[in-house]
Amino acid sequence: MDEQNVADGGLGELERGTRQRAQLRTRLSDIAWTALCVVLALWAVWSAVGVVRGSSAWAYSLVAWVLLAAALTLRVAAVRRRGPV
């Protein structure tokens, strides 16, 4: 294993069954959840601003906020279930 790669905070070897491989899956999951929550938050804020400006798209705003709340609730539940890494 390349000591320089591990010292720089890299994942090291990504072969099956290694701890680094499990960390990679966790990191990718975190990135995906973060991206989903950011997109939903932007949509919710954008649609809420549209409603304030007089747009008749209040249903889109409601759906955006409900989906954001559901995604954040599922994310918190997943982190609690996974426990400390």
Side-chain angles (χ1 to χ4, degrees), residues 1-13:
M1 182 165 53
D2 185 17
E3 294 297 326
Q4 182 68 22
N5 190 20
V6 175
D8 290 337
L11 290 174
E13 297 294 324

Side-chain angles (χ1 to χ4, degrees), residues 11-43:
L11 290 174
E13 297 294 324
L14 293 176
E15 296 180 15
R16 289 183 180 201
T18 61
R19 184 168 185 237
Q20 289 81 10
R21 181 82 173 228
Q23 288 175 347
L24 177 64
R25 181 173 293 143
T26 302
R27 286 183 181 185
L28 289 176
S29 173
D30 288 342
I31 291 168
W33 273 107
T34 302
L36 175 66
C37 290
V38 166
V39 168
L40 287 173
L42 288 173
W43 179 32

